[in-house]
Amino acid sequence: MCGIVGYIGTQQAAPLLTLGLSKLEYRGYDSAGIAVADAAGEASMRRAVGKLRNLQHSLDSAPLAGRAGIGHTRWATHGAPSEINSHPHRDATGTVFVVHNGIIENYAEIRVELEAQGVEFRSQTDTEVLPNLIKRAYDECQNLPRAIRSALQGVRGAYALAVMHSAVPDTVVAVRQTSPLVIGLGEGENFCASDALAILSETRRIIFLDNGEMAFLRAEGVEVFDLESGARRQKEVQQLDWSADSANKGDFPHFMLKEVHEQPAVMERLLHHYADEEKGCIAFPHIGLSREELRGVRRIFIQACGTSWHAGLVGKLLIERLGLISVDVDTSSEFRYRNVAPHTGGAILDSDTLVIAISQSGETADTLAGVQEAKERGLKVISVVNMPASSIVRASDGVIYTHAGPEVSVASTKAYIGQIGALYLLSLYLGEIHGLIDRARMKRRLEKFAEVPRLMREILADDSGIQRAAQRFWLAEHAFFIGRGYGQPSALEGALKLKEISYIHAEGYAAGELKHGPIALIDEKMPVVAIATQGVTYEKILSNMQEVRARGGKLIAVAGEDDEEVGKYADFVLRVPELTESFTPFVVALPMQLLAYHIAVLRDYDVDMPRNLAKSVTVE
Ligand code: M6R
């Protein structure tokens, strides 16, 4: 939703701030603004309601000069979208400027207290108390780090801030209290942003701030401090391998479509990072558990939300088949209330139980809480995460990165492929450690894995059949997705994709469950997508399709390219390459994603930013 960018260095700040804000536009906003200061501390500010181009026009006609600045895109919470409510906000004397993401829970009482001291407020926002608190504290101690720490002591809420003070013109301060914030390191210049994407075109050397940290950015360097104690913190600098193009749609009309097309490359990156096909071996450099420890694992709990939970369901089937370890999968919001092991306060008792947390963002509150709960119960946790150095990674014992690159569209696509790809490799690794998969079998599996990207590209090269199906069903009000075995989580994921971006009510079912209730809803207005790829349950799914057909339901089958039988029962057949069953989730995902995409486009909805949804869900 809201976005923050900050800069200090040798270049003019305003163009860099607006460029950074433009990379955050995908998050949605209703106004934008920047404040810029020159070396003497002379600061000026410009804000505009509506699209960033409105701010840009205003800056084009009257530029702001200065080599330090902060910028913001605002999505209104406290107070209507208006210029006066837009960020930056400044104190009543125009000395301190603040941009803010998140919410200040106790702003109303702070405001009353400040008003009693004569402070006049201009806006209805919760943010405006902050520059006034910082100004008051600075006037008392004449020391910016101390002033910010003292000002924030009585502030409650989840927030990220960038702050400038006219008396300290060589500094931009960044504060993280729950809402994400990163620092970008340049040569003679430094940046901060609520999302690394905003500054990727300028630098890939990133420091991820932890909760309760503040960073002092100067042209010549960055220092990070603990907000509570004021102690200096040493931070790791991460070199992101993301391409600067990640923040652009390129030739694609939507990020979602671009990200769907990036999926073969995600699989290739996973192989590159973790596998050696020639030697037939797998290594996870950050897994955090020794082979000895993994050999002792007898039971696995996977916990995740949404699409990541669906990836977990695929992971269960893979690990149980290839690693022969029994796996439970929960949504994180349920997992954390289960009594999976006695509380030990973190002491390791249960060394044969492993928890795997899956998350694209690494910031999902429920999944993070599940990790913390598992640690409290003395369980080891490996996370499967896309975003480097995120909260879930830091809370876990080890991580397998999914290397999907930044995913911008709210609907998860390439991150899902990265997750199931990583889980596939993990299941092979566990199988090898447990003595079930020898070198030769490993080699064969990895060679097959390496073929999948090419097969995915074949599907992506021609989606005309999927578009035809979309044209036939885009006015539907409800849809079912059914599958068995590996097709079942794929069906759940297909239904989620359709409902979240096209707002068609869609449900995914294990196909065998249809006759236990949902079949009552089948009629000629109900499209049913059936995943009917070859496998042990193929005959059974054909029977389920006939049950649907007999009740007038319209069938779209996702089936192997050589399958002639399935066409007898389906109104549409979306073809995918014939593959060993355990590889089918990779190719089946594509027509599902594209079907949802084309339907959402036909319905003229905002594909990348569906209503009511956020890319990263940081509330429980
Ligand atoms: O970042 P996470 O993977 O932890 O997010 C979990 C879900 O919120 C996410 O997968 C959500 O379901 C997607 N928007 C679905 O496309």
Side-chain angles (χ1 to χ4, degrees):
M1 300 293 179
C2 300
I4 289 178
V5 183
Y7 173 78
I8 188 154
T10 51
Q11 304 187 61
Q12 282 300 323
L16 287 168
L17 294 174
T18 50
L19 177 70
L21 292 179
S22 73
K23 311 289 186 198
L24 301 178
E25 281 194 285
Y26 74 90
R27 301 163 74 97
Y29 64 101
D30 41 47
S31 60
I34 62 170
V36 168
D38 65 17
E42 211 41 56
S44 37
M45 169 170 103
R46 190 71 51 74
R47 303 177 294 189
V49 176
K51 288 289 166 199
L52 195 56
R53 61 174 172 269
N54 300 346
L55 175 67
Q56 191 61 62
H57 284 153
S58 161
L59 289 166
D60 289 346
S61 47
L64 296 184
R67 299 179 198 281
I70 54 179
H72 191 260
T73 45
R74 172 177 188 250
W75 187 77
T77 55
H78 298 66
S82 65
E83 190 178 330
I84 210 84
N85 286 332
S86 310
H87 298 216
H89 288 280
R90 63 199 150 156
D91 71 292
T93 64
T95 310
V96 180
F97 293 79
V98 171
V99 292
H100 159 222
N101 281 1
I103 286 176
I104 307 301
E105 288 163 5
N106 57 338
Y107 83 99
E109 60 204 65
I110 299 175
R111 187 169 166 140
V112 168
E113 180 203 322
L114 288 167
E115 277 171 340
Q117 293 171 5
V119 174
E120 283 181 22
F121 283 84
R122 304 174 175 95
S123 76
Q124 290 95 53
T125 63
D126 53 342
T127 307
E128 201 181 349
V129 297
L130 296 172
N132 285 293
L133 284 176
I134 295 168
K135 167 77 169 56
R136 187 178 71 178
Y138 185 84
D139 288 350
E140 280 166 16
C141 67
Q142 301 293 308
N143 174 304
L144 192 54
R146 219 178 296 149
I148 292 183
R149 287 177 47 219
S150 133
L152 295 178
Q153 248 166 25
V155 171
R156 284 199 316 270
Y159 53 84
L161 313 175
V163 183
M164 288 197 310
H165 193 302
S166 298
V168 194
D170 65 343
T171 304
V172 168
V173 186
V175 179
R176 175 178 179 175
Q177 194 65 275
T178 306
S179 300
L181 206 58
V182 303
I183 307 300
L185 304 179
E187 295 297 328
E189 58 184 3
N190 292 299
F191 304 79
C192 63
S194 49
D195 184 330
L197 270 185
I199 51 178
L200 213 53
S201 56
E202 309 308 313
T203 180
R204 297 208 185 128
R205 294 176 59 226
I206 301 290
I207 293 173
F208 290 85
L209 288 185
D210 282 313
N211 287 336
E213 285 184 341
M214 68 176 173
F216 277 66
L217 284 72
R218 298 188 184 86
E220 58 281 2
V222 173
E223 289 176 297
V224 179
F225 300 93
D226 183 279
L227 198 52
E228 206 177 303
S229 67
R232 179 98 185 261
R233 287 222 177 140
Q234 291 304 324
K235 298 292 291 183
E236 192 187 338
V237 179
Q238 311 246 353
Q239 181 76 37
L240 291 191
D241 63 354
W242 297 351
S243 127
D245 289 343
S246 312
N248 304 319
K249 283 184 237 171
D251 293 333
F252 292 93
H254 299 99
F255 277 106
M256 181 180 173
L257 191 59
K258 176 179 176 237
E259 288 162 2
V260 165
H261 279 258
E262 285 171 355
Q263 296 180 108
V266 174
M267 302 256 322
E268 286 162 352
R269 275 204 293 276
L270 283 172
L271 270 183
H272 167 76
H273 281 281
Y274 299 131
D276 184 330
E277 294 155 65
E278 306 250 304
K279 293 194 184 136
C281 62
I282 287 175
F284 294 111
H286 308 293
I287 197 165
L289 270 74
S290 66
R291 288 174 63 86
E292 226 15 77
E293 285 172 301
L294 288 169
R295 193 170 293 126
V297 170
R298 295 280 170 273
R299 185 173 190 203
I300 293 177
F301 291 97
I302 296 181
Q303 56 109 4
C305 303
T307 290
S308 302
W309 174 60
H310 298 154
L313 294 170
V314 176
K316 168 190 167 75
L317 298 175
L318 290 169
I319 293 171
E320 288 186 340
R321 176 156 300 270
L322 300 170
L324 271 194
I325 302 171
S326 152
V327 182
D328 263 36
V329 189
D330 280 309
T331 54
S332 302
S333 51
E334 296 300 322
F335 172 77
R336 57 180 300 216
Y337 299 107
R338 271 184 75 179
N339 195 17
V340 294
H343 268 277
T344 65
I348 306 223
L349 278 187
D350 210 347
S351 59
D352 65 0
T353 303
L354 173 68
V355 173
I356 299 177
I358 308 173
S359 174
Q360 186 287 127
S361 61
E363 300 294 343
T364 300
D366 285 321
T367 313
L368 179 59
V371 172
Q372 288 159 344
E373 183 65 30
K375 297 294 300 170
E376 274 292 297
R377 289 173 186 271
L379 303 177
K380 289 281 186 188
V381 180
I382 296 173
S383 55
V384 174
V385 170
N386 196 36
M387 295 298 282
S390 47
S391 303
I392 290 173
V393 172
R394 289 195 301 265
S396 306
D397 294 291
V399 58
I400 299 176
Y401 284 117
T402 47
H403 292 291
E407 190 178 62
V408 172
S409 179
V410 166
S412 189
T413 53
K414 64 174 181 169
Y416 172 71
I417 290 297
Q419 290 164 346
I420 60 176
L423 289 165
Y424 194 99
L425 297 179
L426 176 64
S427 63
L428 289 179
Y429 185 62
L430 291 172
E432 186 258 311
I433 287 177
H434 283 252
L436 306 161
I437 295 183
D438 61 15
R439 251 320 126 86
R441 188 166 169 218
M442 177 74 96
K443 231 167 152 310
R444 280 198 304 279
R445 287 280 178 167
L446 290 177
E447 279 162 8
K448 284 202 168 141
F449 191 108
E451 281 171 23
V452 177
R454 179 180 58 78
L455 301 172
M456 289 171 124
R457 287 193 176 97
E458 281 175 14
I459 301 176
L460 294 170
D462 177 13
D463 70 351
S464 53
I466 304 168
Q467 290 196 45
R468 277 196 299 280
Q471 270 150 8
R472 169 73 179 76
F473 294 109
W474 70 283
L475 286 170
E477 287 176 20
H478 310 274
F480 276 172
F481 286 68
I482 57 170
R484 286 170 172 262
Y486 290 98
Q488 189 243 343
S490 302
L492 298 187
E493 175 58 9
L496 178 62
K497 284 290 89 77
L498 185 67
K499 79 180 107 183
E500 73 179 319
I501 60 169
S502 75
Y503 316 146
I504 293 174
H505 168 229
E507 297 299 334
Y509 284 106
E513 277 295 296
L514 212 57
K515 56 187 168 297
H516 299 289
I519 203 164
L521 294 169
I522 301 284
D523 63 16
E524 59 289 346
K525 288 198 277 225
M526 177 68 87
V528 178
V529 180
I531 296 155
T533 44
Q534 292 295 331
V536 285
T537 55
Y538 173 73
E539 300 292 337
K540 297 246 180 342
I541 191 102
L542 284 190
S543 308
N544 299 135
M545 287 171 65
Q546 289 175 68
E547 290 159 12
V548 170
R549 199 175 171 82
R551 286 153 184 87
K554 297 285 170 277
L555 275 158
I556 305 168
V558 179
E561 57 204 355
D562 303 331
D563 185 339
E564 287 168 13
E565 183 70 9
V566 77
K568 293 181 195 156
Y569 315 110
D571 300 272
F572 278 89
V573 184
L574 307 179
R575 298 290 178 181
V576 293
E578 302 280 359
L579 283 170
T580 312
E581 214 178 341
S582 56
F583 282 110
T584 53
F586 295 98
V587 288
V588 162
L590 272 55
M592 305 285 205
Q593 296 163 349
L594 288 168
L595 184 66
Y597 171 78
H598 289 302
I599 289 180
V601 170
L602 286 166
R603 292 167 75 105
D604 203 19
Y605 290 139
D606 188 343
V607 172
D608 288 330
M609 255 191 351
R611 68 186 182 205
N612 307 340
L613 293 175
K615 183 68 188 157
S616 174
V617 184
T618 51
V619 288
E620 290 175 32

